């Protein structure tokens, strides 16, 4: 029998007969390891303990403590849930059930809608199945047998799914007990390995088979799962806190924005919301100007010819909003598109006039308004919209300037994030994919430049080999908010492709023409999405300089109305966003109302304050109040109202 060599994480190797399973390998190392094992990785690929190994490779045994273990918990629970659903309602048709970031979902074809009571019944049946400790087994079938099986059991979605599997790929079946499903695996060894107290079914929503809206709507049941009850409890607590911080709820309470059916995915900014938006935009404009960026403005609507040249028409057309125009005297309609991104337009600005190496690096920035088609099911408040503005910029430079520009960008990005309250962020460096443009020499230089800039700045980073764009390596930046959620916002991407497609050039020191490297970069990403993140991060209690209504001056008695107006005018003159509340309401009512609106400071004015020319200052979220002289209060609040880049 043929022998194979398996190398383990400690660098040691052992020989085994070809066809050995990972379970047998684990048993050969230690019975305790075999007992704890749930899967393996073979040359980086997740591998079922029951699959035969036919070649040499690097093998690592995985347990429930590993990330792969949590993935298996969620994957097997998807199967157990589908089994439970069909046990309760045998006429239900199953489709697919992939793992998600915190759990899984499974889509079902059922004539009746699932109810909350149904979810409780499904959970109970899942726990019963887990308690059975049914074995999990797997087989590879030929295509004809698999199709015949699912045609015989009346599962049309599985038949269609088999048709989507490329020729040559194995068609693998899994059984959890006597319940069978088509799945590429891997899976656990028995249902009893699942934690029965560490999952929860979260709800039901509509979904379409592979997103095809022309097909009948399916019902998607989602679940979350963790290794143990404590992890589940922590996640559910986080979700409760996230619900309190929901930017859509706070947007209504703070009168920031609204959205409506006549403009799906588009934002109607109210005065309060637009105030926050402009404060953030003005801050970013000052920071970019100080960092050497030159602001430009480019058109919203462009002829398809430009998008064809840039490659977006072929790759991105389905996400573009098209505009057909009957040009006077033209034989056919002219097809234009609302721009989904700004980069081709920035190359047009760069291309005006001959550029020399002395002009580089050239940093062009735009608060560019973009439109992208998103399906109705994917949109979510400010977080996923069809119309948005990016803090977009493109740097045209030489290959030798990439590292310095990356380092400069890292310094700017980290400073902006700190100013906005995000001390922690993670970096992912994505390197060359198999299909790419540009020479290996250029890729070597660009990847080394990005890695070198990160290292010199002292930041750790995750290396994602092969995940770069086809046109160049990239950095992605992920923020962590106040309740531990991660948000990908910033990006820095080297592009060797677009300057070629759009004929961007510069005259080098040697007198010859060269292609510049184009660096795409953003710090916030979409203003709309970032504002949603800010609102939720601060639970609506935005930093004083960003708050739309910074101060409310509220009268306690009507005799104080004149002084209230005087104080308000003085605050406004000092640059504060202040307003007077002289309504004939009790002061406690006013305080409650403005606290719901997340006003950071309320100045209460009664007869004592009038006579002493003071104010009683109450800050949002703090108990009690402090009596302060009017001049001192104005100076203090005016200082706090300065944006971080304007403070001494």
């Amino acid at each position: 029998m043929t022998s194979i060599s398996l190398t383990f994480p400690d660098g040691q190797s052992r020989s085994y007969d070809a066809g050995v399973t990972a379970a047998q390998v684990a048993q050969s190392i230690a019975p305790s390891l075999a007992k704890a094992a749930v899967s393996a990785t073979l040359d980086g690929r997740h591998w079922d303990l029951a699959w035969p190994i036919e070649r040499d490779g690097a093998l690592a045994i995985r347990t429930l403590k590993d990330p792969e273990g949590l993935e298996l918990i969620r994957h097997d629970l998807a199967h157990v849930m589908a089994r439970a659903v069909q046990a309760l309602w045998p006429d239900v048709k199953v489709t697919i059930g992939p793992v998600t970031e915190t759990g899984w979902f499974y889509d079902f074809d059922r004539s009746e809608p699932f109810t909350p009571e149904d979810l409780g019944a499904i959970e109970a049946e899942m726990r019963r199945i887990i308690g059975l400790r049914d074995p999990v087994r797997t087989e590879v079938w030929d295509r004809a047998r698999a199709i015949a099986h699912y045609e015989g059991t009346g599962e049309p979605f599985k038949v269609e799914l088999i048709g989507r599997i490329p020729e040559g790929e194995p068609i693998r079946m899994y059984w959890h007990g006597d319940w069978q499903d088509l799945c590429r695996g891997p899976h656990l060894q028995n249902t009893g390995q699942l934690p029965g107290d560490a999952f929860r079914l979260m709800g039901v929503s509509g979904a379409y088979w592979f997103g095809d809206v022309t097909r009948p709507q399916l019902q998607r049941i989602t679940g979350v799962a963790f290794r143990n009850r404590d992890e589940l409890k922590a996640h559910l607590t986080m979700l409760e806190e996230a619900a309190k911080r929901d930017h859509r709820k706070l947007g209504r309470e703070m009168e920031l924005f609204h959205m409506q059916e006549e403009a799906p995915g588009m934002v109607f900014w109210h005065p309060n919301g637009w105030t926050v938006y402009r404060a953030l935009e003005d801050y970013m404009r000052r920071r970019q100007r100080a960092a050497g960026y030159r602001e430009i403005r480019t058109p919203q609507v462009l002829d398809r010819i430009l998008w064809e040249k840039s490659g977006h028409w072929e790759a991105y057309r389905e996400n573009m909003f098209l505009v057909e125009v009957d040009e006077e005297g033209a034989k056919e309609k002219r097809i234009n598109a609302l721009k989904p991104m700004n980069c081709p337009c920035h190359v047009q600005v760069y291309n005006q006039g001959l550029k020399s190496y002395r002009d580089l690096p050239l940093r062009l920035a735009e608060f560019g308004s973009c439109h992208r088609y998103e399906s109705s099911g994917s949109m979510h408040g400010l977080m996923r919209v069809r119309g948005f503005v990016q803090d977009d910029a493109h740097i045209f430079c030489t290959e030798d300037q990439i590292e310095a520009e990356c380092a400069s960008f890292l310094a700017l990005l980290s400073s902006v994030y700190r100013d906005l309250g995000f001390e922690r962020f993670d970096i992912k460096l994505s390197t060359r994919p198999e299909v790419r443009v540009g020479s290996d020499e250029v890729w070597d230089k660009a990847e080394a430049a990005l890695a070198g800039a990160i290292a010199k700045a002292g930041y750790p980073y995750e290396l994602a080999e092969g995940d770069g764009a086809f046109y160049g390596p990239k950095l992605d930046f992920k923020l962590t908010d106040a309740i531990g959620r991660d948000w990908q916002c910033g990006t820095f991407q080297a592009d060797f492709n677009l300057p070629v497609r759009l004929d961007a050039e510069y005259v080098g020191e040697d007198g010859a023409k060269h292609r510049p490297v184009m660096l795409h970069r953003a710090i916030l990403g979409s203003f709309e999405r970032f504002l949603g993140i800010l609102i939720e991060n601060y639970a609506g209690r935005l930093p004083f300089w960003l708050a739309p209504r910074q101060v409310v001056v509220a009268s306690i008695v009507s005799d104080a109305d004149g002084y209230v107006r005087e104080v308000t005018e003085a605050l406004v003159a000092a640059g504060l966003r202040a307003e007077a509340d002289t309504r004939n309401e009790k002061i406690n009512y006013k305080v409650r109302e403005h606290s719901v609106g997340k006003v950071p400071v309320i100045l209460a004015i009664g007869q004592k304050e009038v006579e002493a020319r003071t104010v009683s200052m109450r800050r949002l979220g703090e108990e009690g109040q402090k009596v302060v002289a009017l001049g001192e209060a104005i100076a203090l609040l005016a200082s706090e109202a300065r944006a971080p880049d304007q403070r001494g």
Side-chain angles (χ1 to χ4, degrees), residues 45-48 51 71-72 75-76 79 138 172-174 181-188:
R45 180 188 170 193
H46 203 185
W47 199 262
D48 196 295
W51 294 351
E71 178 186 340
L72 285 183
H75 193 178
D76 279 66
H79 283 241
T138 182
R172 186 172 289 280
M173 298 293 178
Y174 270 90
D181 201 3
L182 172 72
C183 183
R184 66 168 58 96
H187 279 286
L188 297 171

Side-chain angles (χ1 to χ4, degrees), residues 18-208:
V20 68
T21 66
Q24 292 168 332
V25 172
Q27 183 66 40
S28 74
I29 296 172
S32 59
L33 179 62
K35 185 177 180 180
V38 293
S39 67
T41 52
L42 180 63
D43 293 333
R45 180 188 170 193
H46 203 185
W47 199 262
D48 196 295
L49 289 180
W51 294 351
I53 304 171
E54 304 289 354
R55 55 180 172 77
D56 296 348
L59 184 76
I61 304 299
R62 301 302 181 188
T63 71
L64 288 177
K65 295 179 180 179
D66 294 312
E68 293 85 355
L70 183 55
E71 178 186 340
L72 285 183
I73 288 173
R74 291 165 175 166
H75 193 178
D76 279 66
L77 280 168
H79 283 241
V80 168
M81 183 179 76
R83 173 180 168 181
V85 167
Q86 289 198 314
L88 294 168
W89 301 281
D91 60 327
V92 171
K93 308 301 181 188
V94 293
T95 63
I96 54 174
V99 170
T100 64
E101 188 175 354
T102 56
W104 77 92
F105 69 78
Y106 211 114
D107 293 344
F108 299 96
D109 183 16
R110 185 190 184 209
S111 56
E112 298 295 322
F114 289 107
T115 66
E117 291 75 21
D118 291 339
L119 295 187
I122 296 168
E123 279 194 3
E125 178 65 11
M126 290 173 68
R127 292 191 173 91
R128 187 190 73 81
I129 293 169
I130 290 170
L132 294 175
R133 298 185 62 82
D134 281 339
V136 177
R137 62 187 181 89
T138 182
E139 293 179 4
V140 175
W141 284 9
D142 63 56
R143 190 174 298 266
R145 181 186 178 190
I147 291 173
H149 170 78
Y150 281 119
E151 285 178 341
T153 56
E155 293 286 4
F157 295 100
K158 295 297 182 182
V159 173
E160 186 176 338
L161 198 59
I162 292 169
R164 292 173 177 264
I165 298 175
E167 290 290 342
E169 283 195 17
I171 296 174
R172 186 172 289 280
M173 298 293 178
Y174 270 90
W175 286 261
H176 285 67
D178 59 0
W179 186 84
Q180 180 183 1
D181 201 3
L182 172 72
C183 183
R184 66 168 58 96
H187 279 286
L188 297 171
Q189 277 59 68
N190 67 77
T191 61
Q193 291 176 298
L194 291 167
D197 60 353
F199 73 89
R200 176 78 59 85
L201 300 187
M202 301 303 293
V204 184
S205 60
Y208 292 102

Side-chain angles (χ1 to χ4, degrees), residues 442-574:
V442 172
W443 275 88
D444 288 343
K445 185 177 290 188
E447 289 172 354
L450 299 192
I454 303 171
K456 287 180 181 177
Y459 293 112
Y461 65 91
E462 172 192 351
L463 182 63
E465 295 185 3
D467 282 353
F470 76 93
Y471 51 76
K474 63 177 182 173
L475 302 178
D476 291 315
F477 300 86
K478 192 182 294 182
L479 295 174
T480 302
D481 71 9
I483 58 174
R485 297 174 300 179
D486 292 331
W487 303 94
Q488 185 173 315
C489 296
T491 190
F492 186 90
Q493 304 178 13
D495 188 346
F496 316 125
N497 179 56
L498 203 58
V500 175
R501 294 190 71 117
L502 298 181
D503 201 27
E505 297 177 330
Y506 71 92
V507 177
E509 201 168 357
D510 58 359
K513 290 185 177 180
H514 301 269
R515 299 291 185 192
V517 178
M518 186 177 184
L519 304 177
H520 307 253
R521 48 111 295 182
I523 296 174
L524 308 183
S526 151
F527 267 84
E528 286 72 12
R529 181 169 177 269
F530 199 88
L531 282 167
I533 294 168
L534 275 177
I535 292 165
E536 295 194 1
N537 182 64
Y538 287 104
R541 298 179 179 182
L542 294 169
F544 192 67
W545 68 277
L546 274 176
R549 303 164 65 212
Q550 293 172 323
V551 186
V552 167
V553 188
S555 59
I556 299 173
V557 295
S558 59
D559 289 347
D561 288 357
Y563 184 53
V564 166
R565 286 189 287 271
E566 179 188 342
V567 171
T568 304
E569 290 170 2
L571 290 167
V572 171

